Amino acid sequence: MTSDYQAFLSAALRRPAVIGAVAPSSTGLSDLLAAVTPTTGQPVVVELGPGTGSVSAAIQRRLPTSGRHVAIEIDAAMVTHLHAAHPSLEVAHGDAADLTAVLDGRGIRQADAVVSGLPWSLFRYERQRLILDGVAALLAPGGAFTTFAYRHAGFLAGARGFHRLLHGMFDEVIVSHTVWRNMPPARIYVCRRPLVNLPPAPDFQPTAGVSGLGQAW
Ligand SMILES: C[S@@+](CC[C@H](N)C(=O)[O-])C[C@H]1O[C@@H](n2cnc3c(N)ncnc32)[C@H](O)[C@@H]1O
């Protein structure tokens, strides 16, 4: 089996506009993202963009055996790698923009935590909004959403727009310290209490199925 790093790099070289990074998240960043995973009860955790599974492993370290963890990944090679490297992980090959439909098919209507590894700064506003609408609708009362942003990409329009969007969509948005021991250094957002009565998202058609994915959004 190829190592996580090899599998990640090969996917990143093949589809840079989809993977959006050159290396998996470090253990430090993964643990920070996964810290919203409840450690008791029967929690449901949904992960978006697991890649080779570094954040998945951090979620699984916290998740009680009675919990459920579903990871939605768009890249077929990453999905194959995840099946081999993390056989106990429930992986859905799909698009986070189809979040509600993918989870409906698995009987999930609510999640206690949503943990994202998605490359938000590569997405246009409509796609960011569509995915976040799905996250907001999915979160259980008291649930939390975490995601990360690379520090160096903070000046990009997509990253700035995403920052504004999070603040517009959640009542509480906490930005962490920078995790310097990550390649590249990154910060995480912890978001709680989605706000209601936002203006509707502009019309946006998610791609049909997963086969045609891979274009820049
Ligand atoms: C920056 S990598 C992060 C991977 C992993 N979470 C980590 O931190 O090491 C982004 C991941 O999101 C996946 N991805 C990108 N767009 C996606 C989408 N619309 N739906 C699901 N996964 C997506 C990519 O294939 C890639 O595996």
Side-chain angles (χ1 to χ4, degrees):
M1 194 201 315
T2 50
S3 73
D4 283 0
Y5 184 75
Q6 285 170 321
F8 199 103
L9 189 61
S10 119
L13 292 173
R14 203 170 20 83
R15 299 178 82 185
V18 174
I19 308 302
V22 290
S25 292
S26 65
T27 305
L29 187 69
S30 300
D31 282 342
L32 208 52
L33 283 163
V36 293
T37 302
T39 56
T40 58
Q42 299 180 306
V44 173
V45 179
V46 172
E47 184 183 0
L48 308 177
T52 47
S54 51
V55 181
S56 317
I59 292 170
Q60 304 240 315
R61 284 195 285 277
R62 289 183 57 88
L63 196 72
T65 49
S66 48
R68 189 164 172 197
H69 173 190
V70 179
I72 304 175
E73 170 58 54
I74 207 168
D75 184 73
M78 293 289 204
V79 171
T80 304
H81 182 84
L82 284 167
H83 282 313
H86 300 272
S88 63
L89 184 64
E90 193 175 336
V91 186
H93 182 201
D95 184 346
D98 297 325
L99 182 61
T100 310
V102 171
L103 295 176
D104 262 2
R106 290 166 187 259
I108 294 177
R109 297 268 152 77
Q110 256 192 357
D112 300 285
V114 180
V115 179
S116 162
L118 296 175
W120 296 100
S121 60
L122 300 179
F123 298 162
R124 286 204 301 262
Y125 170 82
E126 292 81 1
R127 174 165 280 264
Q128 294 179 346
R129 178 66 198 272
L130 183 72
I131 298 173
L132 286 175
D133 279 345
V135 170
L138 180 66
L139 272 186
F145 166 62
T146 53
T147 189
F148 69 84
Y150 294 125
R151 223 186 125 91
H152 71 275
F155 68 90
L156 296 176
R160 288 205 311 271
F162 181 65
H163 180 92
R164 277 195 302 275
L165 188 55
L166 287 180
H167 281 274
M169 290 192 68
F170 292 90
D171 185 28
E172 180 185 13
V173 178
I174 297 171
V175 186
S176 78
H177 61 276
T178 298
V179 180
W180 293 104
R181 295 181 85 167
N182 190 72
M183 197 169 77
R187 295 190 281 220
I188 80 154
Y189 291 96
V190 183
C191 309
R192 294 190 177 85
R193 300 186 300 281
L195 296 166
V196 287
N197 302 326
L198 288 171
D203 279 349
F204 176 73
Q205 296 297 316
T207 41
V210 291
S211 55
L213 296 169
Q215 70 275 36
W217 316 114

